[in-house]
Amino acid sequence: MFSIRLLYIKNGEKTIIILMKTRNSEKNSQTSKKPASKKRKILLGILLSSVILPILAVCLFLVGFSIYSSRQRVDSSLLPTATAAPTFYDINGNKLSYIEDGFLTQDEICDNLRFAFVATEDKRFYSHKGYDIVRIGGAILKDIKAGKAVEGASTITQQLVKNTHLTHDRTVSRKLKEIALASQLEKEYSKEEILSMYLSVIYFGNGIYGAKQAAKYYFGKDVKDLTVAESATLAAIVKNPSKYSPNKNKDAACERRNLIIDLMREQNYIPESVAKSAKSSPVVCQGLDANSAQKGLSDKDCKLYFDNVIQEVCASLDITKYQLFNGGYKIYTNFDGESQKIAVKQINNSALHEENTDRAIIIADNSSGSVLAYASTLGYNAKRQVGSTIKPILYSAAIDRQIINLMTPINDEPVDFGEYSPSNFGDKYYGLTTVKEAIKKSMNSVAVKTCDYLGIDEYFDYVKRFGISVGDDDKNYALALGATTDGINMIELASAYSTLACNGQKKPLTFVRFVTQNDEKVFSNENKTIEQVVKSSTAQQIGVALKETVKSGTAKSLSTLPFEVAAKTGTVERGDGQNSDAWCASFNNRYSVLVWHGSDSGMREKGGGYPTKQAKEVWQNIYENSMRGVEDTQDLSSRFLPIDASDLYLCEVDLYSTLKRQKPILATKNVPLEYRYKEYFALDDLPLAEGSYFDEIGEQNLTAEYSRKGVNISFVKESAYSYDVVRTDLFGSRVIKHFDSETLDLKGDFNNTYKSQTEVSFTDRPISFGLPVTYTLVAYIDDNLDIKNTSTKVVFVDVNFR
């Protein structure tokens, strides 16, 4: 085989090239060919795997994604354009001036706000086509380096799509759809339209959506008037509303605000002098002043109520908020302006709350299941720990199942259920008591015991039946005292108390009466399904107990009202001696009023004093409003009737025997007046007609034993009976000791000083001359000497005894 070689020979300054042909041996040819062929295959494989195949895959992906993207369609009805905003009407059918004003037009956005968000959220916003390849690539590299998803790469357009068209699931398919819809959105809308829609939907904390409402809430001004510092503050909030909200953490808000101002300067949106001035300005939050006096109702006073109206309509019609605001709906609400004024007035009553404490007030009409008013300093629907306000639901369940009634005796004492050992407030225990007293004094021990008697599964089911959202993690004894994993929605709690007020009939509280579109009713709450959650007699027994809680229990502040109300207080301790939550839930036959005070940093007041006093003012205002210009006194009286007990039977109970027998015993003619107690019972759970300790005195057991010091006499004394100890000897019979019955005030407070039995002992020194001495114990009832029982002992005394 021949090969060609080039031979270079340098001769002086000239180079001579000689072409030579040589012959190789067959063996050399074969050995040199094999390595060359193998190297070419390796190089070709590397080229295919590292360059050609990835390029081909990318090309195929881009073609496929282009086809997929072209098939995606933007739903304009989901976008916040508000082409046909709804009209709102109050409970009387009057058109309201309130308009949900959260949607921005491109003309309303000032440059300061535009530059702050573009510089922070999407600096290539004006150059990309909906998604940013550079940003996506950078995010992928950071994710690879971190070994997990740490960097977001969503443009402003993508964020708008995610908030209006998609869920927030972190999946590849959702992300691809987001990018596809963003690219389509960019083809149909201008950059300024996209930016205005984006700024209309993002969340700013405190229940605020959209920059227009955020500007009013935080700074009390129109969005077009925001300064550089204020615009940067709003842009800072959206990163983490709970962390960077200026009314919660000014230092963190200021730090992030200044970072955004630096970004605006670096991207040449503002000059250095403006940036320096903006960064030196203090963070001022002067929009929502919760302590300002309100002469009338402003939009911010009503915003939370109408947020709930919108939420309820959207859920009922299965539409988004943006569809609602493009549909021309007429929404007839349960909003009552006078009740809302009362709620707003009292929420701002600085004399009735601790400083830096959030508050909420809900006023509802039980007869229709309508929320008349809802005011809160939080600005959103909160879920909080409800403490003892859940106990009426627990006792309702146990009464409904005939596990207990109001007169069931239970020993209030320290309890231990494995790892759960709750204590009473102030570690005070009342000993043998009744369920009614336990409710009145909010005894934790008795509540947990009742939960144990009922069974946690049964109780858990009743909580849900009352309309309170709880999870499986809440199925434990702590639920008896209102402790839950995520807290309880205030509206759900108010609805549960309204159910008790309606004799156990659940009419879930609603903000909306009905909705029309094109003069056709498309939704209505007017004929709501009513569910009997507990028996009427059960709910009425709880009402009776909660009425007593107002008269002489934990809600005594309400006792000065000129009409009856039932109420329950509740507090939640943080563990450092301060409360995080305090409640007063109350109702009469017509209205329910829920008041909450809370602070995650703690409140000094231990009990529910402030909420109860505030509830009293709300009730007083309701009453005074109802009195103004009233001609139909019958209608007025129907709103303030006594607590209903029409399905109950008032029975006279033998209180002494009830406590002794550990079950309610009906009082007979022989029961002394001081042991008679009147209580309400359901027809199917009346007290027992037998078992009274006053109808028959049981066997007595006298002990009499001789010793050198005398005759030692002892017996067990029942406090309800009188006793005579009679000695019979050589000189005849006579009473040597008398013990009166104890007239304990058992109709008042039960406490651990009550003892039905006491040990009695004494020594007698008889003169017997060696003859036997007889001792007789006579137990009898003062008012009826015919009812008695005796015990006799004969003692032989030593003849030498003196």
Side-chain angles (χ1 to χ4, degrees), residues 42-55:
I42 292 172
L43 289 172
L44 183 59
I46 293 172
L47 185 64
L48 282 170
S49 61
S50 62
V51 180
I52 298 175
L53 287 178
I55 292 174

Side-chain angles (χ1 to χ4, degrees), residues 271-558:
E272 179 64 37
S273 59
V274 172
K276 185 176 180 180
S277 175
K279 289 171 66 176
S280 64
S281 65
V283 175
V284 179
C285 183
Q286 58 186 10
L288 181 65
D289 184 2
N291 294 313
S292 63
Q294 297 289 339
K295 294 181 180 179
L297 288 175
S298 65
D299 281 355
K300 69 182 179 183
D301 295 327
C302 307
K303 184 182 184 305
L304 179 59
Y305 190 99
F306 286 98
D307 283 349
N308 279 277
V309 169
I310 292 166
Q311 180 180 328
E312 186 177 323
V313 173
C314 288
S316 301
L317 296 178
D318 194 23
I319 59 176
T320 68
K321 179 178 178 180
Y322 314 116
Q323 288 173 308
L324 176 65
F325 278 81
N326 292 324
Y329 293 93
K330 292 182 179 180
I331 303 175
Y332 293 82
T333 73
N334 291 318
F335 179 80
D336 179 66
E338 292 304 314
S339 295
Q340 187 71 14
K341 286 179 183 178
I342 292 171
V344 170
K345 174 186 175 183
Q346 292 306 325
I347 213 81
N348 296 324
N349 188 342
S350 58
L352 293 178
H353 66 81
E354 288 188 27
E355 190 177 355
N356 300 321
T357 299
D358 283 307
R359 289 90 61 204
I361 295 175
I362 297 173
I363 303 174
D365 186 323
N366 302 323
S367 60
S368 60
S370 306
V371 178
L372 303 177
Y374 184 15
S376 173
T377 58
L378 290 175
Y380 58 91
N381 293 333
K383 296 181 74 174
R384 302 289 299 191
Q385 299 298 324
V386 299
S388 293
T389 53
I390 206 169
K391 288 177 183 175
I393 297 175
L394 166 65
Y395 290 115
S396 293
I399 290 173
D400 212 52
R401 291 299 188 194
Q402 295 188 347
I403 305 293
I404 59 169
N405 56 42
L406 294 182
M407 285 303 299
T408 300
I410 300 177
N411 194 23
D412 179 39
E413 60 187 349
V415 293
D416 186 354
F417 290 91
E419 296 180 355
Y420 189 59
S421 303
S423 59
N424 280 355
F425 179 74
D427 287 327
K428 183 177 182 180
Y429 296 91
Y430 295 87
L432 197 60
T433 188
T434 65
V435 167
K436 184 177 180 180
E437 287 290 313
I439 294 173
K440 187 173 83 171
K441 292 190 175 76
S442 199
M443 302 175 192
N444 291 338
S445 158
V446 177
V448 179
K449 281 187 175 183
T450 301
C451 182
D452 187 49
Y453 301 157
L454 175 65
I456 186 60
D457 290 334
E458 193 78 43
Y459 172 44
F460 186 76
D461 180 60
Y462 267 90
V463 171
K464 292 193 293 184
R465 285 171 62 180
F466 267 90
I468 293 179
S469 301
V470 286
D472 289 339
D473 291 342
D474 300 320
K475 194 183 292 186
N476 53 66
Y477 285 114
L479 185 61
L481 306 184
T484 55
T485 304
D486 299 321
I488 290 174
N489 184 291
M490 294 182 186
I491 299 169
E492 291 180 353
L493 184 63
S495 185
Y497 274 81
S498 181
T499 296
L500 291 172
C502 292
N503 292 333
Q505 292 184 330
K506 185 174 73 175
K507 304 174 185 177
L509 295 183
T510 57
F511 292 83
V512 179
R513 287 190 296 145
F514 61 89
V515 180
T516 65
Q517 186 183 41
N518 300 324
D519 296 325
E520 180 181 347
K521 191 175 287 188
V522 294
F523 167 71
S524 176
N525 269 322
E526 293 178 309
N527 296 311
K528 289 185 288 190
T529 301
I530 298 175
E531 179 187 354
Q532 193 74 42
V533 176
V534 292
K535 291 178 289 190
S536 175
S537 59
T538 296
Q540 289 179 16
Q541 286 181 75
I542 295 298
V544 167
L546 296 184
K547 183 177 70 172
E548 287 299 314
T549 304
V550 170
K551 286 184 178 180
S552 58
T554 58
K556 196 173 180 178
S557 295
L558 295 168

Side-chain angles (χ1 to χ4, degrees), residues 14 43 51 89 148 212-213 414 498 517 519 674 790 799:
K14 294 182 180 180
L43 289 172
V51 180
Y89 298 85
K148 60 180 180 179
K212 181 180 285 190
Q213 290 294 338
S498 181
Q517 186 183 41
D519 296 325
E674 62 266 27
T790 62
V799 68

Side-chain angles (χ1 to χ4, degrees), residues 76-86 103 105 189 197 321-329:
S76 60
S77 69
L78 298 178
L79 296 172
T81 53
T83 55
F103 301 106
T105 65
Y189 295 90
M197 288 189 286
K321 179 178 178 180
Y322 314 116
Q323 288 173 308
L324 176 65
F325 278 81
N326 292 324
Y329 293 93

